[in-house]
Amino acid sequence: MCEKKGNMDEAYKKLQEGWLDQGSKVPPAEFGKLAQTYSECSSAKRGGDLGWFTRQQMVGEFARVAFSTAPGDCSQPFKTQHGWHVFICEGRKA
């Protein structure tokens, strides 16, 4: 999570150059390194890991993106009331 779009653009550019432009999946460990560098969220210390959550635990746009991103995929940057986000879905529980 970044409050300023410019910071999110910089972080997302690194994801694109490293993996997305080549059609590759972003390795969670590499996503975590970027989160530690760029994120302003308290989850940055954990590499951006939010743990398991339900749709109801997240704000509208975050929940929509999180639950429409396929496991292993990375979302495009998106905005919520808390700032700019990019999301990598590591998996889903049934």
Side-chain angles (χ1 to χ4, degrees):
M1 193 275 301
C2 298
E3 288 185 24
K4 296 182 180 171
K5 186 172 186 315
N7 292 344
M8 177 55 66
D9 290 344
E10 188 176 325
Y12 192 71
K13 183 177 179 183
K14 292 186 182 289
L15 293 172
Q16 287 177 301
E17 292 172 348
W19 301 275
L20 300 175
D21 285 348
Q22 289 81 37
S24 300
K25 304 281 186 189
V26 178
E30 296 302 319
F31 183 90
K33 289 177 189 175
L34 285 173
Q36 288 175 337
T37 301
Y38 290 95
S39 179
E40 299 166 53
C41 180
S42 60
S43 69
K45 293 177 267 183
R46 298 182 307 278
D49 189 349
L50 300 174
W52 297 104
F53 55 84
T54 65
R55 185 181 305 263
Q56 293 75 26
Q57 290 175 289
M58 297 297 163
V59 295
E61 184 64 7
F62 193 95
R64 187 192 68 73
V65 172
F67 286 90
S68 65
T69 301
D73 284 351
C74 183
S75 74
Q76 296 281 323
F78 62 97
K79 187 169 182 14
T80 71
Q81 65 199 38
H82 301 290
W84 288 91
H85 308 266
V86 65
F87 180 82
I88 185 173
C89 179
E90 289 190 57
R92 291 213 166 76
K93 286 185 176 181

